[in-house]
Amino acid sequence: MTTLSRGEVEADIKNTLGLVPHFFSAIPDELIGAEWELFKHLELGETLIPNKYKELMGVALHSETKCTYCTLFHTEAAKLFGATDQEIQEAVHYAKSSLGWSAYLNGMREDFDTFKDELGQIGQYLSSQA
């Protein structure tokens, strides 16, 4: 396995993004190559999940973690990959709704086995209606 120097990795970052973001500067030399490859693959590359949807998931996720850096990054990346303001808003509303149900189900200590059984029944019913 060939390991690129920090300079070579940073040249690839600059070639890809137009600059080397400051947050990459604190990553140790021995990890910068692996971190960049992972970032480039998951954040920018084509994977099984289309980029627009990955970024909408990131917006929804970080609306809950309340990380302003990540919320801004994923919102802007979602727009770059074609998401509309309405899709971004829907992703955040979905996160809000899902988290609300999670709080309710856990807070009420719903029986998991009953929940799982009923979910299976709902899935069968909806499949039969299609």
Side-chain angles (χ1 to χ4, degrees):
M1 180 169 121
T2 306
T3 303
L4 299 176
S5 70
R6 181 175 203 95
E8 292 169 315
V9 173
E10 288 181 348
D12 187 35
I13 296 170
K14 185 173 183 179
N15 184 54
T16 303
L17 301 177
L19 59 87
V20 178
H22 184 264
F23 62 84
F24 277 105
S25 66
I27 298 173
D29 291 349
E30 65 273 12
L31 300 176
I32 187 73
E35 289 293 341
W36 169 241
E37 287 303 316
L38 186 60
F39 182 92
K40 187 167 57 169
H41 175 73
L42 289 176
E43 297 295 336
L44 306 173
E46 291 295 327
T47 65
L48 295 175
I49 301 171
N51 289 335
K52 179 172 114 172
Y53 302 120
K54 284 190 291 191
E55 297 307 333
L56 288 169
M57 288 188 306
V59 171
L61 170 70
H62 293 294
S63 68
E64 169 54 20
T65 68
K66 296 170 184 56
C67 175
T68 56
Y69 302 97
C70 295
T71 302
L72 177 61
F73 175 86
H74 292 291
T75 298
E76 295 305 312
K79 289 177 182 178
L80 283 172
F81 289 120
T84 65
D85 288 338
Q86 292 82 5
E87 289 171 317
I88 291 166
Q89 186 176 89
E90 183 176 322
V92 173
H93 279 333
Y94 181 81
K96 177 183 75 82
S97 176
S98 183
L99 289 163
W101 278 110
S102 177
Y104 178 78
L105 294 168
N106 281 287
M108 296 304 295
R109 300 181 51 93
E110 285 288 320
D111 181 72
F112 183 79
D113 291 330
T114 300
F115 179 84
K116 183 178 176 182
D117 181 55
E118 290 175 346
L119 185 59
Q121 290 175 50
I122 291 168
Q124 288 175 347
Y125 174 78
L126 292 175
S127 293
S128 74
Q129 300 299 306

